[in-house]
Amino acid sequence: MHHLRTTVVRLRPAMAAQMAQSRSRTNVSVTSEPFLNGTSSNYLEEMYYSWLENPRNVHKSWDVFFRNVNTGAPVGAAYQSPPPLGGLPEGLSRVQAPMGAQPNVDKLVKDHLAVQSLIRAYQVRGHHIAKLDPLGISCVDFDDTPCTVGFQNVGLYGLAESDMDMVFKLPTTTFIGGSKSALPLREIIRRLEMSYCQHIGVEFMFINDVEQCQWIRQKFETPGIMQSTLEEKRTLLARMIRSTRFEEFLQRKWSSEKRFGLEGCESLIPALKTIIDKSSQCGVESVIMGMPHRGRLNVLANVIRKELEQIFCQFDSKLEAADEGSGDVKYHLGMYHRRMNRVSDRYITMSLMANPSHLEAVDPVVQGKTKAEQFYSGDVQGKKVMSVLLHGDAAFAGQGVVYETFHLSDLPSYTTHGTIHVVVNNQIGFTTDPRMARSSAYPTDIARVVSAPIFHVNADDPEAVMYVCSVAAEWRNMFHKDVVVDLVCYRRNGHNEIDEPMFTQPLMYKQVKKQKPVLEKFAEKLIAEGVITTQDYEEEVACYDKICEDAYARSKDEKILHIKHWLDSPWLGFFTPDGQPKTMSCPSTGISEDELKHIGNIAASVPEEDFMLHGGLSRILKGRGNLVDQRLCDWALGEYMAFGSLLKQGVHVRLSGQDVERGTFSHRHHVLHDQHKDRRTCIPMNHLSHDQATYTVCNSSLSEYGVLGFELGFSMANPNALVLWEAQFGDFHNTAQCIIDQFISSGHAKWVRQNGIVLLLPHGMEGMGPEHSSARPERFLQMCNDDPDVFPNLSGDFAVLQLYDCNWIVVNCSTPANYFHVLRRQMLLPFRKPLVVFTPKSLLRHPEAKSSFDDMLPGTHFKRLIPDGGSAAAIPDRVKRVIFCSGKIYYELTRERANRGMDDIVAIVRIEQLSPFPFDLVKAETNRYPNADLVWCQEEHKNQGYYNYVKPRIRTTIGGKQPIWYAGREPAAAPATGNKQTHLTELQRLLDAAFNLDTFSGKL
């Protein structure tokens, strides 16, 4: 009887009181209370729990019993025998319950629902009152949405102070009970406060997946789950010592140098190491990281494990630069390292990507490189290769590329199967207060768009940081989805070490100056707990200080700075051991006729059976077949030949961009769609041969910045892959200008990092208005690094040497064969350079823009310049004018020349490779026509296009002996007119200028 009483006390105080009264009654018979004995108490408890969930879960007699007890009826009176088996006695339609029972049952239900609402309130909004800010001044403003949790707010849920000691059954949506399924309200609130309102704030209730929400609840609500072991605490202290003392060492030695130190967020280092440790234990073999400049040197030293002397020597102003490019500042450099992880006892490769000061620009680059490594290693689920991105709070909220990168996270051809984002939230952006820097409460709210959980944590609590990072790594391993760790910290110095933050944030920095360093606080805590002694701590500090001093002494022996020692993406075996090309020649880029026919026939077919093709597409494929029979290629077929031949040689080809599968101008059709079955597609290019490489063609999201950065990263992983990004229209590249300027054009010079990415930019004045006309070739040519005033030495294989010395290659092909060759040359060169191709629009279907198979056979090459092949070249002395041009305008010039009957006296020369400039070939052409004047003709406006690039180079080629005349549109602000008639008038005017031999008479 006593056991029953104590059991019921745990269930319900009101019922327990009735049981206590029944215990004092000596005249209660077993007949009136047949189930009140010690052997049945467990059964009674189970029945009661079941009834609390739903009264219908128990027999009607039990329902009546529990209702009666809750209304205050004595236990004996509460019991009523079940109806007889023969049915209810006449006149008794149901078991009667005492009057007044229903209102109390309603209260019981309402109370339990209120408790469930309270629990949910903590799960949803507990982070609002979590103690996240080490400074205690929190810039996160929830005034408009106060958090109604805590002991003082229970009344808002219909509960009262008198309910605090009442026991409630816990719902299945919480784990705070541990092994217990019911708790007093006071204890429920206390445990919820411990889970959600201390130094960790969890945002996850916006996730729609119930399993994921339950997983997170279990990780943060289970009693005692966040406790660290003694060994974990000692390891954490050692890592905190390294992180803190490294910054202090740099400050002592180079107090006036910019280094963008980590002071105020020293727990970042153990945070990253915890992520790497846990991920390695889960089977990850490679981690690719991207981060801004703050804390970069510390990460290089204590996470990537770059030699300290290599870091310290970077501060030496007398250090000479090796002849490896222009280099970059120390806090932009990357690193690649493979080492043993001591926690998992497994080798792990870590790569920290080099990046510019443009915050967040490296995000998609990291994702692309991660995707590439997953692809080449067959890691289809992302279990072996993962990415970690570090962010600043202001940049994470302010930079649009963060949003673009997040939206790639779950796209089939772009997903990296989960990224761990770590935000170093020092609650300020340079000098800008968060209240002026973002509209959202947190800087991390952007992550909610992809249902990524967000773990806010007070960075001055290293144990909480370590736990959160461990959970983040487990989440990524379990669900392969993005996750965000928000390290709420502060910046002890200004934006850099010589900046004065008190100018703009006086109150914040008064508090910062009072703030005890986190290492000091953590060491005191562990000493007080008896985990370590003061002597242990001091010895650990002295040990690391000596490591730094010894490395500093060795750094003085470094006399030359080698940027190649900071390479983030080495291509093992591609270069010689000292990083040079294995040869300086390029073989023929032609292929056999049999191969051309085979690839052409595949391009004209549907390799899969019972595939219902669109009628219009059937005609297109039939047209391809007819071209193959005639031994001809149009633009689409020339591209097909290039891709197909490389695939058969084992070179992976990846084409990405908006609408690339079909092609913006409906010319490509590399993905065929069954007209009767949804999502059934066929890629003929993957049916060339059984041992070919994979062809990936993927429509991208409507993003240029993010997707181009992604493809750039993809091309870094493997030199033997042709990676192409096509803009929907050429001028759309300007929204990806940061990637082009900071990475593609200058990446090799800054970081000794070669890259063979190809940009396909549709270009041409077609009368379609100022947009969608120009790919802005002048911008690319302006960034070319060749000298316009120096005629180069033509020794050796000049064409290849030129390519090796340039920063990128810019071409405007006028024939399908030349397009075919330049794509194949990109892979056959012994080194890698970015390739910018201005691709045509109207030429895709121009009847004259076709090439014979003869121009693509073995022994043929890419033609940097295509000389005039007509009657003018036969008698060059009679030629009075040589028109140099590039691209589509050639076809309009030849038509106009024929109409005017000037084929004998006007030669038209096409410069196909604009940069590096073909000085040698241009010189040969000018020498061939000794009596001709020289004209540059372009369809672009004079201040745009190629004129300002080619004019000084042609003058250098001819030694300035004669002028270079211009035939083209006048200078303009916009790339093209929006009026069709004006467009045609401008075109005729430039053609008149090109062919009127008196146009430039009398001009100097």
Side-chain angles (χ1 to χ4, degrees), residues 700-879:
S700 74
S701 64
L702 201 66
S703 155
E704 289 83 29
Y705 191 167
V707 174
L708 178 56
F710 188 96
E711 302 308 330
L712 175 72
F714 199 102
S715 65
M716 289 178 185
N718 183 1
N720 297 312
L722 182 67
V723 180
L724 309 95
W725 175 77
E726 182 176 70
Q728 192 177 63
F729 289 92
D731 54 339
F732 285 178
H733 76 75
N734 55 18
T735 59
Q737 201 69 45
C738 180
I739 298 296
I740 293 169
D741 291 356
Q742 309 308 132
F743 290 88
I744 299 178
S745 73
S746 57
H748 187 195
K750 293 191 292 187
W751 307 315
V752 199
R753 184 171 68 191
Q754 293 195 19
N755 195 287
I757 192 170
V758 179
L759 276 61
L760 304 179
L761 307 176
H763 171 81
M765 306 294 114
E766 314 280 4
M768 300 303 292
E771 277 72 53
H772 309 340
S773 291
S774 176
R776 296 290 191 174
E778 65 278 1
R779 293 181 178 174
F780 292 92
L781 295 172
Q782 183 189 36
M783 289 187 279
C784 295
N785 66 349
D786 59 333
D787 191 333
D789 302 322
V790 176
F791 189 83
N793 183 352
L794 302 182
S795 62
D797 193 338
F798 173 70
V800 176
L801 289 172
Q802 253 199 325
L803 295 175
Y804 182 70
D805 291 335
C806 75
N807 61 317
W808 59 11
I809 305 164
V810 181
V811 303
N812 188 0
C813 301
S814 61
T815 70
N818 232 18
Y819 179 49
F820 161 85
H821 282 297
V822 79
L823 291 178
R824 284 186 51 78
R825 186 184 72 171
Q826 190 71 355
M827 287 293 98
L828 296 181
L829 285 169
F831 46 82
R832 295 291 175 260
K833 297 288 178 175
L835 172 63
V836 180
V837 185
F838 301 117
T839 57
K841 293 176 287 184
S842 61
L843 292 192
L844 297 174
R845 296 175 178 83
H846 197 291
E848 296 177 29
K850 292 184 174 61
S851 296
S852 168
F853 280 9
D854 293 335
D855 296 327
M856 305 161 73
L857 295 176
T860 58
H861 294 264
F862 171 72
K863 296 178 180 179
R864 295 178 291 143
L865 178 148
I866 302 179
D868 193 305
S871 55
I875 311 177
D877 291 345
R878 294 177 53 187
V879 173

Side-chain angles (χ1 to χ4, degrees), residues 426-601:
N426 50 39
Q427 307 180 80
I428 189 172
F430 203 155
T431 65
T432 303
D433 189 285
R435 291 170 292 188
M436 307 301 167
R438 64 176 187 262
S439 297
S440 59
Y442 292 114
T444 53
D445 286 354
I446 183 68
R448 296 166 71 105
V449 301
V450 293
S451 295
I454 303 165
F455 305 143
H456 307 280
V457 60
N458 187 321
D460 264 16
D461 184 346
E463 290 180 81
V465 170
M466 185 176 70
Y467 182 76
V468 157
C469 289
S470 179
V471 173
E474 290 182 53
W475 165 275
R476 194 266 172 192
N477 178 67
M478 174 67 71
F479 298 108
H480 296 284
K481 304 279 288 184
D482 283 33
V483 57
V484 177
V485 175
D486 179 21
L487 290 178
V488 184
C489 55
Y490 58 93
R491 195 184 64 195
R492 187 166 287 278
N493 301 310
H495 180 63
N496 57 61
E497 285 67 30
I498 56 178
D499 192 42
E500 176 51 76
M502 291 287 285
F503 289 155
T504 51
Q505 275 75 34
L507 297 182
M508 172 183 274
Y509 275 86
K510 285 179 183 177
Q511 184 62 38
V512 168
K513 289 179 180 179
K514 299 176 186 176
Q515 194 77 4
K516 183 182 290 188
V518 61
L519 174 60
E520 188 177 332
K521 291 193 291 186
F522 186 54
E524 289 174 357
K525 176 178 180 292
L526 296 193
I527 292 170
E529 292 175 357
V531 176
I532 60 166
T533 64
T534 302
Q535 182 179 351
D536 294 335
Y537 169 65
E538 292 173 350
E539 288 176 355
E540 188 78 24
V541 170
C543 178
Y544 186 70
D545 286 351
K546 185 177 186 305
I547 291 173
C548 290
E549 288 290 350
D550 291 346
Y552 175 68
R554 292 193 301 271
S555 72
K556 295 181 178 297
D557 297 331
E558 298 287 338
K559 304 300 181 184
I560 299 177
L561 171 62
H562 292 278
I563 301 298
K564 65 184 179 182
H565 293 163
W566 299 75
L567 192 60
D568 58 20
S569 304
W571 292 337
L572 302 178
F574 185 71
F575 298 112
T576 63
D578 61 348
Q580 298 301 309
K582 294 180 178 179
T583 179
M584 286 303 284
S585 63
C586 182
S588 167
T589 47
I591 59 176
S592 69
E593 181 142 353
D594 288 343
E595 193 168 1
L596 288 169
K597 288 181 177 179
H598 171 68
I599 297 171
N601 289 331

Side-chain angles (χ1 to χ4, degrees), residues 113 121 257 385-386 793 916 960 968:
L113 289 175
E257 282 274 349
V385 183
M386 67 174 284
N793 183 352

Side-chain angles (χ1 to χ4, degrees), residues 606 608-618 621 662 669 671-682:
V606 183
E608 296 185 12
E609 296 181 358
D610 301 323
F611 196 94
M612 181 55 64
L613 202 62
H614 188 277
L617 195 49
S618 297
L621 297 190
R662 191 203 73 168
H669 297 289
V671 180
L672 309 179
H673 294 259
D674 193 305
Q675 298 297 299
H676 289 170
K677 296 182 180 179
D678 184 36
R679 298 185 182 180
R680 188 188 179 198
T681 60
C682 173

